[in-house]
Structure formats: C-alpha cells, structure tokens
Amino acid sequence: MEGLRAGIAGTGFIGRVHARSARLAGARLAGVAASSPASAERAAAELGAERAFASCDELVEADGIDVVHICTPNHLHEPLALAALAAGKHVVCEKPVALDGAGAARVAAAATAAGRVVAVPFVYRFHPMAREARARVAAGDLGRLHLLHGTYLQDWLLTPDDTNWRVDAALGGPSRAFADIGSHWCDLVEFVGGCRITRVLAHMATTVPARATGVRATFAAAGAAGTAGGGDGANAVGTPRREPVTTEDVALVLFETDGGAAGSVVVSQVAAGRKNRLWFSLDGESASVVFDQEQPETLWIGRRDGAEVVARDAERLSPAAARLATLPAGHGQGYHDCFDLFVADAHAAMRGGASAPDGLPLIGDGVRAARITDAVLASARSRSWTEVTS
Ligand SMILES: NC(=O)c1ccc[n+]([C@@H]2O[C@H](COP(=O)([O-])OP(=O)(O)OC[C@H]3O[C@@H](n4cnc5c(N)ncnc54)[C@H](O)[C@@H]3O)[C@@H](O)[C@H]2O)c1
C-alpha cells in the first residue's frame, strides 16, 4: 500500500508536528480541521494541506482519508476517535486518549470492533538512548530493579498570567500536570523498565489558585490556528480577570511495581527554569541507568566501581536502539526525530502486512495511562494507597 492519506484534526503546536512527520512517513496531507473554518483555511494554506474541512466532525467522516491524527484539546479525543473508527479510519490519537480510563477503554473496544489501529504518541520511547536503556534492562545489565525515580518538570504555567485550555477541567480533564506530562514519564519508565506500576500514593497541589480567564491570549501568543475557549483575558487595559483553578500544577507520586520495585516521580508545570525536564533513574542490584530528555544523546550508567556516559553511536548500540539512530553519532537527534520515527512506525502498522513494530505505543498504552491517572486522582483525593486497575 502506498503512503496513507492523513487528516489532521487540530493544528496547534502538536498538530503541526504530526503534519510534518506524516509527510516524512510518505503520507499525503489530505486535509486539516481546526477550531473554525477560517482557522482551518489558514492552517491548510500554511501547511500545504489539500483541503480545509469546516469541522473535525466533517474530517473524520470524509472519504479520501485513511488515518485521522487527533491533535485537539483533550475533551474531543474520545468522541473524535470513536467517530473516526466508526467511519473505518485508522487513528493517531494524542494523549490522554480520553478524560478517564473508562473513556479510553471505549476507544480500545471500538478499535477492536473496527479492526483498525489506534496509535498514541508516547514519543519519548523513540529516543535511541531510551531504547538502549530498555535493551540493557532487558538483558539483565542492571540486575533486578529496586528503585525507579525521577521528575517531569516544566515552567510554562508558573505565573497567574499563564493560562491555556489545559487549565480548564472541562477541556483538559480532571488532572492537568499529571495527565499531560506525568503520563509520559510513567509510560517511558514502564516501557524502559519492563514493569507495571501497580499501586500509587499521590499528593497534588494547585500552587497558582487563580489564573487569567480564558485562553485567547495564550493562543494568540503561541500563534496557534484557533482557540478552544472564549475567555477575554482582561477587563480593559490593565487588571486581568482571574478565575479559580481546579486542576493541579504539581503532582508527587509514590508507587510500587509488579517487579517489586519502589518508585517516585515529581511532576510540575510551575518549576521555574525547567522547560521539559523528563528525567529518570532506574536503579538495579548491579547498576543504575539515567536518561534525561533534555540531553537525549547520552545515557549515564552508574556502577559501584565507577560511572560512564554512553553516547549514541549506532555501531555500539543494541539493534533496537540502532534502528532509531537515523543520523551519524554526534549529529544530534531530538524531539522531531522521535515524532518522525513514531509516525513512521504507526503508519507502517496501518498500511498492514507485518505486525506492529516493537515498541509502538498503541491504544492499550493509552488506556493504561488513563487508568494510572485515574488512580493518581483517586489516591490524592482519598490520601491513601490506590491500586491501578489493569
Ligand atoms: N505526545 C506529545 O508529545 C504531545 C505534545 C504536545 C501536546 N500533546 C497533546 O496534543 C493535544 C494538543 O496539544 P497542543 O499543545 O497542540 O495544543 P494547542 O493549544 O497548541 O493546539 C490545539 C489546537 O486545537 C484546535 N482546537 C481547539 N478547539 C477545537 C475544536 N473544537 N475543534 C477542532 N480543533 C480545535 C485549536 O485551534 C488548536 O489549533 C493535547 O491533547 C496534548 O495533550 C501531545
């Protein structure tokens, strides 16, 4: 089968990344939809898409689209995924797949019923050195894992003037920081560690209790192609209006795994100076491995008698990691490359033939992320250890 005909629903930050990666995977950019017909027209012109759809509903049902990339605010993921699957399309659905585990399970059931692929962009799996860490854990180089720990820290919501549709639970869901970025950390650590988080004890905090109203200012500043909200940000010149925030800025989570390891992760969108610090250490009986998303070309390997920094060099990596090393050593790969590799594998699975490439995050991984978020929310509310349902 030739390249897929891709439709992109939602053309903000990540919709544009999807559009680029889809093209590189050999797809045609058959259409885009955004928050209004006018913003879809603008995005289609900028991205060179063949067609601007008046709405996402129209796009997901249109003939001439093989795969829908759902890149809208979170509350639209589940309904758009269900509609796309009902129309016989494959789906790349941004995380969170739904606002809770039950919704994500509905998407999984619909994918099974339709016999279509739903891939979920947990793209940090596609850093070659994260794959190398996974291979070393699987080969037993670290021994039994006993402690998994780390952070996912950002600062883009540090002040009361910072706002976004994610802050609004009706659009973003009941968890913000954890569902948005903590979910990436958990997916990556489970993937690399070859384990499952079974129980969590969570504390969540909203450090900025009131924020500027609406999201229009943020969309304008980001140059995004539309707006999910209708707030007006400020009264007139000067005093911005504020509204109470119900979603968390910070989440601290203790956990246990099915392999008997203990763990902790600190997640924040208000950590001054931290931009996208997804960092973890997996500590085993004989060695530890550290991966830092902001320094993705190396792994730190610690042993009792010394430590080493391993650089990405395909000739010295495991086959699974070397497959993702698309540039020669020393020629930095980064986030875009992860996305390109993810979409290439997702589209290959959709084009059929062989089984899904190893490591491709699918709807089951999206369901799992939503269920971990459910457990984290329940634990923070009850202030007690809570099981993650499987
Ligand atoms: N996998 C990743 O690494 C990653 C990274 C960033 C974002 N995301 C996910 O992607 C999604 C979008 O995030 P973003 O950062 O691109 O947000 P964004 O605010 O930059 O873009 C959202 C887009 O959705 C559009 N939109 C709003 N309301 C709409 C509607 N009713 N119908 C159609 N389109 C509408 C807006 O016009 C905007 O273009 C989120 O679910 C987020 O969790 C994933």
Short mmCIF file of all heavy atoms in Angstrom, two decimals, residues 127-133 135-136 296-299 310-329 333:
data_model
loop_
_atom_site.label_atom_id
_atom_site.label_comp_id
_atom_site.label_asym_id
_atom_site.label_seq_id
_atom_site.Cartn_x
_atom_site.Cartn_y
_atom_site.Cartn_z
N HIS A 127 13.42 7.94 21.44
CA HIS A 127 14.82 8.38 21.58
C HIS A 127 15.69 7.11 21.56
O HIS A 127 15.46 6.19 22.36
CB HIS A 127 15.03 9.11 22.92
CG HIS A 127 14.60 10.54 22.90
ND1 HIS A 127 15.17 11.48 22.06
CD2 HIS A 127 13.68 11.21 23.62
CE1 HIS A 127 14.61 12.66 22.28
NE2 HIS A 127 13.70 12.53 23.21
N PRO A 128 16.68 7.07 20.69
CA PRO A 128 17.51 5.86 20.64
C PRO A 128 18.09 5.49 22.01
O PRO A 128 18.17 4.30 22.33
CB PRO A 128 18.61 6.23 19.64
CG PRO A 128 18.00 7.28 18.75
CD PRO A 128 17.05 8.05 19.64
N MET A 129 18.48 6.48 22.81
CA MET A 129 19.13 6.12 24.07
C MET A 129 18.12 5.64 25.11
O MET A 129 18.49 4.90 26.04
CB MET A 129 19.97 7.30 24.59
CG MET A 129 21.10 7.69 23.65
SD MET A 129 22.06 6.27 23.02
CE MET A 129 23.08 5.89 24.44
N ALA A 130 16.85 6.02 24.98
CA ALA A 130 15.82 5.41 25.84
C ALA A 130 15.65 3.95 25.44
O ALA A 130 15.53 3.06 26.29
CB ALA A 130 14.51 6.17 25.71
N ARG A 131 15.68 3.69 24.14
CA ARG A 131 15.58 2.30 23.66
C ARG A 131 16.80 1.49 24.13
O ARG A 131 16.70 0.31 24.44
CB ARG A 131 15.54 2.33 22.15
CG ARG A 131 14.44 1.67 21.34
CD ARG A 131 13.17 1.35 21.94
NE ARG A 131 12.09 2.18 21.45
CZ ARG A 131 11.26 1.84 20.46
NH1 ARG A 131 11.34 0.66 19.89
NH2 ARG A 131 10.31 2.66 20.09
N GLU A 132 17.99 2.16 24.14
CA GLU A 132 19.19 1.46 24.60
C GLU A 132 19.07 1.10 26.09
O GLU A 132 19.43 -0.01 26.50
CB GLU A 132 20.43 2.35 24.37
CG GLU A 132 21.74 1.77 24.82
CD GLU A 132 22.16 0.52 24.03
OE1 GLU A 132 21.57 0.23 22.97
OE2 GLU A 132 23.09 -0.17 24.50
N ALA A 133 18.51 2.03 26.86
CA ALA A 133 18.32 1.74 28.29
C ALA A 133 17.39 0.53 28.44
O ALA A 133 17.64 -0.37 29.25
CB ALA A 133 17.72 2.97 29.00
N ALA A 135 16.94 -1.92 26.35
CA ALA A 135 17.64 -3.15 25.95
C ALA A 135 18.58 -3.62 27.07
O ALA A 135 18.69 -4.82 27.34
CB ALA A 135 18.42 -2.91 24.66
N ARG A 136 19.22 -2.66 27.73
CA ARG A 136 20.16 -3.06 28.80
C ARG A 136 19.42 -3.61 30.02
O ARG A 136 19.89 -4.54 30.66
CB ARG A 136 21.04 -1.86 29.17
CG ARG A 136 22.03 -1.53 28.08
CD ARG A 136 22.95 -0.39 28.46
NE ARG A 136 23.83 -0.07 27.34
CZ ARG A 136 25.13 0.17 27.45
NH1 ARG A 136 25.71 0.14 28.63
NH2 ARG A 136 25.86 0.46 26.38
N PRO A 296 19.29 14.01 25.27
CA PRO A 296 18.85 12.67 24.88
C PRO A 296 19.89 11.86 24.13
O PRO A 296 19.62 10.70 23.78
CB PRO A 296 17.65 12.96 23.97
CG PRO A 296 17.99 14.26 23.33
CD PRO A 296 18.73 15.05 24.39
N GLU A 297 21.06 12.44 23.90
CA GLU A 297 22.07 11.71 23.12
C GLU A 297 22.95 10.82 23.98
O GLU A 297 23.84 10.15 23.46
CB GLU A 297 22.92 12.70 22.34
CG GLU A 297 22.16 13.42 21.23
CD GLU A 297 21.93 12.52 20.02
OE1 GLU A 297 20.93 11.78 20.00
OE2 GLU A 297 22.78 12.56 19.11
N THR A 298 22.75 10.85 25.30
CA THR A 298 23.60 10.05 26.18
C THR A 298 22.77 9.32 27.24
O THR A 298 21.65 9.72 27.56
CB THR A 298 24.64 10.93 26.93
OG1 THR A 298 23.94 11.92 27.67
CG2 THR A 298 25.61 11.59 25.96
N LEU A 299 23.37 8.27 27.78
CA LEU A 299 22.87 7.61 28.99
C LEU A 299 23.98 7.67 30.02
O LEU A 299 25.16 7.54 29.66
CB LEU A 299 22.60 6.13 28.73
CG LEU A 299 21.37 5.68 27.98
CD1 LEU A 299 21.36 4.15 27.95
CD2 LEU A 299 20.11 6.21 28.62
N VAL A 310 27.44 6.96 28.13
CA VAL A 310 27.40 6.26 26.85
C VAL A 310 26.75 7.18 25.82
O VAL A 310 25.62 7.63 26.03
CB VAL A 310 26.59 4.95 26.97
CG1 VAL A 310 26.53 4.23 25.62
CG2 VAL A 310 27.18 4.06 28.05
N ALA A 311 27.45 7.45 24.72
CA ALA A 311 26.92 8.34 23.69
C ALA A 311 26.25 7.53 22.59
O ALA A 311 26.61 6.37 22.34
CB ALA A 311 28.05 9.18 23.10
N ARG A 312 25.27 8.15 21.95
CA ARG A 312 24.59 7.47 20.83
C ARG A 312 25.57 7.25 19.68
O ARG A 312 26.13 8.20 19.16
CB ARG A 312 23.41 8.31 20.34
CG ARG A 312 22.67 7.64 19.16
CD ARG A 312 21.49 8.45 18.71
NE ARG A 312 21.84 9.75 18.20
CZ ARG A 312 22.38 9.96 16.99
NH1 ARG A 312 22.62 8.96 16.17
NH2 ARG A 312 22.68 11.19 16.60
N ASP A 313 25.77 6.00 19.35
CA ASP A 313 26.64 5.63 18.23
C ASP A 313 26.12 4.28 17.75
O ASP A 313 26.29 3.26 18.42
CB ASP A 313 28.10 5.51 18.70
CG ASP A 313 29.03 5.11 17.57
OD1 ASP A 313 28.54 4.70 16.50
OD2 ASP A 313 30.26 5.19 17.77
N ALA A 314 25.46 4.28 16.61
CA ALA A 314 24.73 3.09 16.16
C ALA A 314 25.58 1.83 16.20
O ALA A 314 25.08 0.74 16.47
CB ALA A 314 24.18 3.32 14.76
N GLU A 315 26.88 2.00 15.95
CA GLU A 315 27.73 0.80 15.90
C GLU A 315 27.89 0.14 17.26
O GLU A 315 28.32 -1.01 17.36
CB GLU A 315 29.10 1.17 15.33
CG GLU A 315 28.98 1.56 13.87
CD GLU A 315 30.33 1.80 13.22
OE1 GLU A 315 31.35 1.47 13.85
OE2 GLU A 315 30.34 2.32 12.11
N ARG A 316 27.59 0.87 18.33
CA ARG A 316 27.78 0.33 19.67
C ARG A 316 26.47 0.15 20.42
O ARG A 316 26.46 -0.11 21.61
CB ARG A 316 28.70 1.26 20.47
CG ARG A 316 30.12 1.16 19.99
CD ARG A 316 31.02 2.26 20.50
NE ARG A 316 32.31 2.17 19.84
CZ ARG A 316 32.56 2.58 18.59
NH1 ARG A 316 31.61 3.13 17.88
NH2 ARG A 316 33.75 2.44 18.06
N LEU A 317 25.36 0.31 19.73
CA LEU A 317 24.06 0.19 20.39
C LEU A 317 23.42 -1.16 20.10
O LEU A 317 23.79 -1.84 19.14
CB LEU A 317 23.11 1.30 19.91
CG LEU A 317 23.53 2.75 20.21
CD1 LEU A 317 22.45 3.70 19.70
CD2 LEU A 317 23.78 2.97 21.69
N SER A 318 22.44 -1.51 20.91
CA SER A 318 21.63 -2.70 20.65
C SER A 318 20.90 -2.50 19.32
O SER A 318 20.67 -1.36 18.89
CB SER A 318 20.61 -2.88 21.77
OG SER A 318 19.73 -1.77 21.76
N PRO A 319 20.51 -3.60 18.65
CA PRO A 319 19.81 -3.44 17.36
C PRO A 319 18.55 -2.58 17.48
O PRO A 319 18.25 -1.77 16.59
CB PRO A 319 19.47 -4.89 16.98
CG PRO A 319 20.48 -5.72 17.69
CD PRO A 319 20.79 -5.00 18.98
N ALA A 320 17.80 -2.72 18.58
CA ALA A 320 16.55 -1.95 18.72
C ALA A 320 16.82 -0.45 18.79
O ALA A 320 16.06 0.36 18.25
CB ALA A 320 15.79 -2.40 19.97
N ALA A 321 17.93 -0.07 19.46
CA ALA A 321 18.28 1.35 19.56
C ALA A 321 18.91 1.83 18.25
O ALA A 321 18.62 2.93 17.77
CB ALA A 321 19.22 1.57 20.73
N ALA A 322 19.76 0.98 17.67
CA ALA A 322 20.44 1.37 16.43
C ALA A 322 19.44 1.64 15.31
O ALA A 322 19.65 2.51 14.46
CB ALA A 322 21.43 0.27 16.02
N ARG A 323 18.32 0.90 15.32
CA ARG A 323 17.29 1.11 14.29
C ARG A 323 16.77 2.55 14.31
O ARG A 323 16.35 3.11 13.29
CB ARG A 323 16.11 0.14 14.53
CG ARG A 323 14.98 0.27 13.52
CD ARG A 323 13.88 -0.74 13.75
NE ARG A 323 12.94 -0.38 14.79
CZ ARG A 323 11.84 0.35 14.59
NH1 ARG A 323 11.55 0.80 13.39
NH2 ARG A 323 11.03 0.62 15.58
N LEU A 324 16.78 3.17 15.49
CA LEU A 324 16.24 4.53 15.62
C LEU A 324 17.31 5.60 15.43
O LEU A 324 17.00 6.80 15.43
CB LEU A 324 15.60 4.70 17.01
CG LEU A 324 14.52 3.68 17.38
CD1 LEU A 324 13.95 4.00 18.76
CD2 LEU A 324 13.39 3.67 16.34
N ALA A 325 18.57 5.19 15.31
CA ALA A 325 19.66 6.16 15.14
C ALA A 325 19.74 6.51 13.66
O ALA A 325 20.42 5.83 12.88
CB ALA A 325 20.97 5.57 15.66
N THR A 326 19.05 7.57 13.28
CA THR A 326 18.93 7.89 11.85
C THR A 326 20.03 8.82 11.37
O THR A 326 20.17 9.05 10.18
CB THR A 326 17.56 8.53 11.56
OG1 THR A 326 17.39 9.62 12.46
CG2 THR A 326 16.44 7.52 11.76
N LEU A 327 20.78 9.39 12.30
CA LEU A 327 21.89 10.27 11.94
C LEU A 327 23.17 9.71 12.52
O LEU A 327 23.13 9.02 13.54
CB LEU A 327 21.65 11.68 12.52
CG LEU A 327 20.50 12.49 11.88
CD1 LEU A 327 20.22 13.75 12.70
CD2 LEU A 327 20.85 12.85 10.44
N PRO A 328 24.31 10.04 11.91
CA PRO A 328 25.58 9.55 12.46
C PRO A 328 25.82 10.10 13.87
O PRO A 328 25.27 11.16 14.24
CB PRO A 328 26.63 10.10 11.49
CG PRO A 328 25.89 10.51 10.27
CD PRO A 328 24.50 10.85 10.70
N ALA A 329 26.61 9.38 14.65
CA ALA A 329 26.95 9.83 16.01
C ALA A 329 27.44 11.27 15.98
O ALA A 329 28.13 11.69 15.05
CB ALA A 329 28.03 8.92 16.58
N GLN A 333 20.13 14.08 17.46
CA GLN A 333 18.72 13.76 17.23
C GLN A 333 17.91 14.31 18.39
O GLN A 333 18.38 14.38 19.52
CB GLN A 333 18.52 12.24 17.14
CG GLN A 333 19.00 11.65 15.84
CD GLN A 333 18.67 10.16 15.72
OE1 GLN A 333 19.52 9.40 15.27
NE2 GLN A 333 17.48 9.74 16.08
#
